[in-house]
mmCIF file of all heavy atoms in Angstrom:
data_model
loop_
_atom_site.group_PDB
_atom_site.id
_atom_site.type_symbol
_atom_site.label_atom_id
_atom_site.label_comp_id
_atom_site.label_asym_id
_atom_site.label_seq_id
_atom_site.Cartn_x
_atom_site.Cartn_y
_atom_site.Cartn_z
ATOM 1 N N LYS L 1 -0.671 8.676 -2.149
ATOM 2 C CA LYS L 1 -1.123 7.288 -2.198
ATOM 3 C C LYS L 1 0.009 6.505 -2.959
ATOM 4 O O LYS L 1 0.428 5.383 -2.575
ATOM 5 C CB LYS L 1 -2.462 7.124 -2.773
ATOM 6 C CG LYS L 1 -3.600 7.620 -1.963
ATOM 7 C CD LYS L 1 -3.650 7.001 -0.606
ATOM 8 C CE LYS L 1 -4.772 7.425 0.210
ATOM 9 N NZ LYS L 1 -4.851 6.964 1.580
ATOM 10 N N GLN L 2 0.480 6.970 -4.090
ATOM 11 C CA GLN L 2 1.488 6.339 -4.814
ATOM 12 C C GLN L 2 2.717 6.161 -4.062
ATOM 13 O O GLN L 2 3.378 5.155 -3.923
ATOM 14 C CB GLN L 2 1.900 7.098 -6.134
ATOM 15 C CG GLN L 2 0.761 7.081 -7.165
ATOM 16 C CD GLN L 2 1.194 7.819 -8.483
ATOM 17 O OE1 GLN L 2 2.389 8.081 -8.686
ATOM 18 N NE2 GLN L 2 0.201 8.093 -9.308
ATOM 19 N N VAL L 3 3.153 7.322 -3.435
ATOM 20 C CA VAL L 3 4.403 7.290 -2.645
ATOM 21 C C VAL L 3 4.338 6.350 -1.490
ATOM 22 O O VAL L 3 5.263 5.611 -1.098
ATOM 23 C CB VAL L 3 4.787 8.736 -2.235
ATOM 24 C CG1 VAL L 3 6.051 8.664 -1.277
ATOM 25 C CG2 VAL L 3 5.139 9.561 -3.359
ATOM 26 N N ASN L 4 3.175 6.396 -0.792
ATOM 27 C CA ASN L 4 2.972 5.431 0.351
ATOM 28 C C ASN L 4 3.092 3.999 -0.061
ATOM 29 O O ASN L 4 3.659 3.159 0.635
ATOM 30 C CB ASN L 4 1.615 5.717 1.038
ATOM 31 C CG ASN L 4 1.744 6.841 2.033
ATOM 32 O OD1 ASN L 4 2.850 7.084 2.534
ATOM 33 N ND2 ASN L 4 0.631 7.409 2.341
ATOM 34 N N GLU L 5 2.530 3.657 -1.186
ATOM 35 C CA GLU L 5 2.600 2.245 -1.769
ATOM 36 C C GLU L 5 4.091 1.951 -1.973
ATOM 37 O O GLU L 5 4.593 0.821 -1.649
ATOM 38 C CB GLU L 5 1.888 2.133 -3.045
ATOM 39 C CG GLU L 5 0.326 2.076 -2.827
ATOM 40 C CD GLU L 5 -0.373 1.622 -4.147
ATOM 41 O OE1 GLU L 5 0.303 1.144 -5.059
ATOM 42 O OE2 GLU L 5 -1.567 1.754 -4.131
ATOM 43 N N GLU L 6 4.850 2.867 -2.462
ATOM 44 C CA GLU L 6 6.296 2.666 -2.728
ATOM 45 C C GLU L 6 7.095 2.489 -1.409
ATOM 46 O O GLU L 6 7.953 1.643 -1.288
ATOM 47 C CB GLU L 6 6.929 3.776 -3.527
ATOM 48 C CG GLU L 6 6.421 3.844 -4.985
ATOM 49 C CD GLU L 6 6.705 5.164 -5.711
ATOM 50 O OE1 GLU L 6 7.499 6.010 -5.082
ATOM 51 O OE2 GLU L 6 6.243 5.355 -6.843
ATOM 52 N N ILE L 7 6.752 3.335 -0.458
ATOM 53 C CA ILE L 7 7.318 3.204 0.933
ATOM 54 C C ILE L 7 7.140 1.834 1.483
ATOM 55 O O ILE L 7 8.057 1.098 1.962
ATOM 56 C CB ILE L 7 6.850 4.300 1.832
ATOM 57 C CG1 ILE L 7 7.359 5.613 1.440
ATOM 58 C CG2 ILE L 7 7.198 4.072 3.303
ATOM 59 C CD1 ILE L 7 6.668 6.812 2.155
ATOM 60 N N ILE L 8 5.935 1.303 1.366
ATOM 61 C CA ILE L 8 5.592 0.000 1.899
ATOM 62 C C ILE L 8 6.369 -1.045 1.208
ATOM 63 O O ILE L 8 7.087 -1.899 1.868
ATOM 64 C CB ILE L 8 4.087 -0.319 1.815
ATOM 65 C CG1 ILE L 8 3.291 0.531 2.792
ATOM 66 C CG2 ILE L 8 3.770 -1.804 2.002
ATOM 67 C CD1 ILE L 8 1.778 0.554 2.534
ATOM 68 N N ARG L 9 6.423 -1.052 -0.143
ATOM 69 C CA ARG L 9 7.160 -2.098 -0.931
ATOM 70 C C ARG L 9 8.674 -1.978 -0.629
ATOM 71 O O ARG L 9 9.332 -2.995 -0.382
ATOM 72 C CB ARG L 9 6.956 -1.872 -2.373
ATOM 73 C CG ARG L 9 5.630 -2.455 -2.901
ATOM 74 C CD ARG L 9 5.613 -2.575 -4.447
ATOM 75 N NE ARG L 9 5.506 -1.228 -4.980
ATOM 76 C CZ ARG L 9 4.423 -0.643 -5.361
ATOM 77 N NH1 ARG L 9 3.256 -1.196 -5.209
ATOM 78 N NH2 ARG L 9 4.480 0.596 -5.956
ATOM 79 N N ASP L 10 9.198 -0.758 -0.520
ATOM 80 C CA ASP L 10 10.676 -0.571 -0.251
ATOM 81 C C ASP L 10 11.051 -1.121 1.077
ATOM 82 O O ASP L 10 12.101 -1.752 1.268
ATOM 83 C CB ASP L 10 11.058 0.874 -0.512
ATOM 84 C CG ASP L 10 11.079 1.397 -1.840
ATOM 85 O OD1 ASP L 10 10.986 0.474 -2.789
ATOM 86 O OD2 ASP L 10 11.119 2.621 -2.112
ATOM 87 N N PHE L 11 10.143 -0.867 2.117
ATOM 88 C CA PHE L 11 10.414 -1.208 3.490
ATOM 89 C C PHE L 11 10.439 -2.767 3.577
ATOM 90 O O PHE L 11 11.349 -3.397 4.121
ATOM 91 C CB PHE L 11 9.418 -0.568 4.450
ATOM 92 C CG PHE L 11 9.730 -0.868 5.860
ATOM 93 C CD1 PHE L 11 10.991 -0.595 6.411
ATOM 94 C CD2 PHE L 11 8.740 -1.404 6.720
ATOM 95 C CE1 PHE L 11 11.147 -0.752 7.767
ATOM 96 C CE2 PHE L 11 8.984 -1.583 8.102
ATOM 97 C CZ PHE L 11 10.223 -1.358 8.579
ATOM 98 N N ILE L 12 9.483 -3.384 2.953
ATOM 99 C CA ILE L 12 9.324 -4.830 2.989
ATOM 100 C C ILE L 12 10.531 -5.449 2.176
ATOM 101 O O ILE L 12 11.083 -6.480 2.583
ATOM 102 C CB ILE L 12 7.965 -5.255 2.572
ATOM 103 C CG1 ILE L 12 6.942 -4.975 3.578
ATOM 104 C CG2 ILE L 12 7.940 -6.819 2.304
ATOM 105 C CD1 ILE L 12 5.459 -5.195 3.236
ATOM 106 N N HIS L 13 10.798 -4.862 1.080
ATOM 107 C CA HIS L 13 11.890 -5.399 0.241
ATOM 108 C C HIS L 13 13.266 -5.292 0.953
ATOM 109 O O HIS L 13 14.111 -6.143 0.769
ATOM 110 C CB HIS L 13 11.952 -4.560 -1.046
ATOM 111 C CG HIS L 13 13.030 -5.028 -2.022
ATOM 112 N ND1 HIS L 13 13.015 -6.224 -2.693
ATOM 113 C CD2 HIS L 13 14.171 -4.433 -2.432
ATOM 114 C CE1 HIS L 13 14.020 -6.393 -3.411
ATOM 115 N NE2 HIS L 13 14.855 -5.319 -3.302
ATOM 116 N N SER L 14 13.379 -4.315 1.866
ATOM 117 C CA SER L 14 14.574 -4.205 2.650
ATOM 118 C C SER L 14 14.822 -5.321 3.682
ATOM 119 O O SER L 14 15.842 -5.394 4.312
ATOM 120 C CB SER L 14 14.633 -2.823 3.371
ATOM 121 O OG SER L 14 13.787 -2.901 4.485
ATOM 122 N N GLY L 15 13.800 -6.204 3.856
ATOM 123 C CA GLY L 15 13.855 -7.274 4.830
ATOM 124 C C GLY L 15 12.972 -7.006 6.030
ATOM 125 O O GLY L 15 13.084 -7.907 6.977
ATOM 126 N N ALA L 16 12.172 -6.055 6.029
ATOM 127 C CA ALA L 16 11.367 -5.863 7.240
ATOM 128 C C ALA L 16 10.439 -7.082 7.433
ATOM 129 O O ALA L 16 9.808 -7.523 6.472
ATOM 130 C CB ALA L 16 10.481 -4.561 7.031
ATOM 131 N N PRO L 17 10.225 -7.531 8.655
ATOM 132 C CA PRO L 17 9.448 -8.771 8.893
ATOM 133 C C PRO L 17 7.947 -8.578 8.985
ATOM 134 O O PRO L 17 7.321 -8.939 9.954
ATOM 135 C CB PRO L 17 9.999 -9.226 10.235
ATOM 136 C CG PRO L 17 10.431 -7.947 10.989
ATOM 137 C CD PRO L 17 10.793 -6.978 9.894
ATOM 138 N N ILE L 18 7.452 -7.922 7.940
ATOM 139 C CA ILE L 18 5.988 -7.628 7.962
ATOM 140 C C ILE L 18 5.416 -7.941 6.576
ATOM 141 O O ILE L 18 6.129 -8.141 5.612
ATOM 142 C CB ILE L 18 5.823 -6.110 8.289
ATOM 143 C CG1 ILE L 18 6.258 -5.231 7.243
ATOM 144 C CG2 ILE L 18 6.298 -5.738 9.655
ATOM 145 C CD1 ILE L 18 5.706 -3.753 7.320
ATOM 146 N N LYS L 19 4.012 -7.998 6.633
ATOM 147 C CA LYS L 19 3.297 -8.199 5.345
ATOM 148 C C LYS L 19 2.396 -6.960 5.156
ATOM 149 O O LYS L 19 2.118 -6.302 6.108
ATOM 150 C CB LYS L 19 2.478 -9.443 5.448
ATOM 151 C CG LYS L 19 3.254 -10.773 5.264
ATOM 152 C CD LYS L 19 2.300 -11.891 5.042
ATOM 153 C CE LYS L 19 3.019 -13.036 4.246
ATOM 154 N NZ LYS L 19 2.064 -13.949 3.671
ATOM 155 N N SER L 20 1.983 -6.815 3.916
ATOM 156 C CA SER L 20 1.072 -5.697 3.657
ATOM 157 C C SER L 20 0.047 -6.100 2.551
ATOM 158 O O SER L 20 0.470 -6.733 1.577
ATOM 159 C CB SER L 20 1.743 -4.390 3.283
ATOM 160 O OG SER L 20 0.812 -3.371 3.075
ATOM 161 N N ILE L 21 -1.242 -5.770 2.795
ATOM 162 C CA ILE L 21 -2.219 -5.857 1.740
ATOM 163 C C ILE L 21 -2.646 -4.419 1.387
ATOM 164 O O ILE L 21 -3.023 -3.586 2.252
ATOM 165 C CB ILE L 21 -3.387 -6.706 2.092
ATOM 166 C CG1 ILE L 21 -2.939 -8.191 2.216
ATOM 167 C CG2 ILE L 21 -4.505 -6.593 0.997
ATOM 168 C CD1 ILE L 21 -4.055 -9.118 2.529
ATOM 169 N N ILE L 22 -2.416 -3.970 0.126
ATOM 170 C CA ILE L 22 -2.781 -2.645 -0.295
ATOM 171 C C ILE L 22 -4.154 -2.728 -1.012
ATOM 172 O O ILE L 22 -4.262 -3.500 -2.007
ATOM 173 C CB ILE L 22 -1.651 -2.102 -1.267
ATOM 174 C CG1 ILE L 22 -0.371 -1.914 -0.492
ATOM 175 C CG2 ILE L 22 -2.178 -0.789 -1.901
ATOM 176 C CD1 ILE L 22 0.850 -1.632 -1.378
ATOM 177 N N LEU L 23 -5.127 -1.937 -0.495
ATOM 178 C CA LEU L 23 -6.428 -2.003 -1.131
ATOM 179 C C LEU L 23 -6.700 -0.653 -1.845
ATOM 180 O O LEU L 23 -6.674 0.352 -1.254
ATOM 181 C CB LEU L 23 -7.494 -2.186 -0.047
ATOM 182 C CG LEU L 23 -7.392 -3.456 0.808
ATOM 183 C CD1 LEU L 23 -8.399 -3.551 1.865
ATOM 184 C CD2 LEU L 23 -7.454 -4.691 -0.143
ATOM 185 N N ARG L 24 -6.748 -0.707 -3.190
ATOM 186 C CA ARG L 24 -7.073 0.392 -4.016
ATOM 187 C C ARG L 24 -8.572 0.630 -4.181
ATOM 188 O O ARG L 24 -9.161 -0.071 -4.970
ATOM 189 C CB ARG L 24 -6.312 0.243 -5.298
ATOM 190 C CG ARG L 24 -4.730 0.302 -5.217
ATOM 191 C CD ARG L 24 -4.166 0.086 -6.524
ATOM 192 N NE ARG L 24 -2.668 0.219 -6.423
ATOM 193 C CZ ARG L 24 -1.818 -0.234 -7.386
ATOM 194 N NH1 ARG L 24 -2.262 -0.815 -8.500
ATOM 195 N NH2 ARG L 24 -0.458 -0.068 -7.200
ATOM 196 N N TYR L 25 -9.161 1.567 -3.416
ATOM 197 C CA TYR L 25 -10.520 1.821 -3.502
ATOM 198 C C TYR L 25 -10.871 2.593 -4.760
ATOM 199 O O TYR L 25 -10.113 3.448 -5.200
ATOM 200 C CB TYR L 25 -11.049 2.652 -2.365
ATOM 201 C CG TYR L 25 -10.565 2.334 -0.960
ATOM 202 C CD1 TYR L 25 -10.563 3.328 0.002
ATOM 203 C CD2 TYR L 25 -10.133 1.090 -0.592
ATOM 204 C CE1 TYR L 25 -10.162 3.049 1.316
ATOM 205 C CE2 TYR L 25 -9.755 0.840 0.672
ATOM 206 C CZ TYR L 25 -9.756 1.815 1.592
ATOM 207 O OH TYR L 25 -9.386 1.538 2.948
ATOM 208 N N PHE L 26 -12.123 2.316 -5.196
ATOM 209 C CA PHE L 26 -12.594 3.226 -6.221
ATOM 210 C C PHE L 26 -13.454 4.282 -5.463
ATOM 211 O O PHE L 26 -12.848 4.960 -4.610
ATOM 212 C CB PHE L 26 -13.307 2.470 -7.259
ATOM 213 C CG PHE L 26 -12.301 1.886 -8.275
ATOM 214 C CD1 PHE L 26 -11.350 0.917 -7.823
ATOM 215 C CD2 PHE L 26 -12.147 2.362 -9.547
ATOM 216 C CE1 PHE L 26 -10.325 0.429 -8.734
ATOM 217 C CE2 PHE L 26 -11.171 1.928 -10.407
ATOM 218 C CZ PHE L 26 -10.250 0.994 -9.954
ATOM 219 N N ASN L 27 -14.714 4.515 -5.580
ATOM 220 C CA ASN L 27 -15.428 5.629 -4.883
ATOM 221 C C ASN L 27 -16.446 5.162 -3.922
ATOM 222 O O ASN L 27 -17.576 4.846 -4.243
ATOM 223 C CB ASN L 27 -16.039 6.524 -6.001
ATOM 224 C CG ASN L 27 -15.067 7.254 -6.819
ATOM 225 O OD1 ASN L 27 -14.335 6.737 -7.584
ATOM 226 N ND2 ASN L 27 -14.931 8.590 -6.523
ATOM 227 N N PRO L 28 -15.983 5.127 -2.576
ATOM 228 C CA PRO L 28 -16.937 4.627 -1.557
ATOM 229 C C PRO L 28 -17.979 5.736 -1.380
ATOM 230 O O PRO L 28 -17.799 6.897 -1.208
ATOM 231 C CB PRO L 28 -15.988 4.547 -0.326
ATOM 232 C CG PRO L 28 -14.610 4.654 -0.759
ATOM 233 C CD PRO L 28 -14.672 5.462 -2.071
ATOM 234 N N ILE L 29 -19.234 5.161 -1.203
ATOM 235 C CA ILE L 29 -20.381 5.996 -0.918
ATOM 236 C C ILE L 29 -21.397 5.273 -0.035
ATOM 237 O O ILE L 29 -21.231 4.036 0.182
ATOM 238 C CB ILE L 29 -21.135 6.557 -2.156
ATOM 239 C CG1 ILE L 29 -21.704 5.410 -2.929
ATOM 240 C CG2 ILE L 29 -20.242 7.497 -3.089
ATOM 241 C CD1 ILE L 29 -22.682 5.765 -4.110
ATOM 242 N N GLY L 30 -22.409 5.957 0.399
ATOM 243 C CA GLY L 30 -23.492 5.336 1.207
ATOM 244 C C GLY L 30 -23.209 5.363 2.712
ATOM 245 O O GLY L 30 -22.284 5.977 3.127
ATOM 246 N N ALA L 31 -24.015 4.581 3.425
ATOM 247 C CA ALA L 31 -23.918 4.563 4.900
ATOM 248 C C ALA L 31 -24.362 3.273 5.466
ATOM 249 O O ALA L 31 -24.840 2.435 4.721
ATOM 250 C CB ALA L 31 -24.783 5.697 5.479
#
């Protein structure tokens, strides 16, 4: 998860024409 966040940031920082919203979940439960 950490590395993926870094990959997204590095790719966008390189000038990629995209946006990203990173959602850091805590503990999903239920139905």
